[in-house]
Amino acid sequence: MPDMAEIIDPPSSARGGDPHGRKSKYPWKEWTDGHWRLAVSGVDYTCKDGSFQFVVYQQGYRRGLQAQTRVISGKGVAFRFIPKKGGMS
C-alpha cells in the first residue's frame, strides 16, 4: 500500500501567514505585535463591529494569545494581542 499524505516543505503562501497555512484576509502577523491598533469600519473590514471582534478573538485563540478589544463608536474596533496570563510564553 503506498504512503499517503507525504511530508513536504510548506508552500510559499503558508510561510509567515496563518498558522494553519490558510491565506488570510488580514495581516495578522503584523497585527499581533502587541500594539493597540484601530481597524476602521468600512475600510479595514466591512462586517458588523461585533463580528470583527469575534474574528480578532479567534485569531488570538489560534495563535495562543489573548485578544483585547474595544468598539470605538462611529470609528471601528480597537484591539491588541498579548501573551495569555499564566501561559508558558
Side-chain angles (χ1 to χ4, degrees), residues 1-69:
M1 176 183 261
D3 289 336
M4 298 178 71
E6 72 178 89
I7 297 171
I8 63 170
D9 289 329
S12 60
S13 63
R15 293 186 192 118
D18 183 277
H20 303 288
R22 294 182 293 256
K23 184 170 171 90
S24 179
K25 184 175 183 177
Y26 305 107
W28 295 115
K29 186 174 181 182
E30 178 184 342
W31 286 0
T32 54
D33 62 2
H35 292 77
W36 277 102
R37 296 183 178 274
L38 176 64
V40 179
S41 179
V43 175
D44 296 311
Y45 63 95
T46 55
C47 56
K48 294 180 181 177
D49 292 340
S51 297
F52 186 73
Q53 275 186 297
F54 181 73
V55 170
V56 170
Y57 284 117
Q58 283 182 316
Q59 283 300 314
Y61 177 79
R62 289 178 180 159
R63 295 165 187 274
L65 299 168
Q66 177 183 346
Q68 297 178 325
T69 68

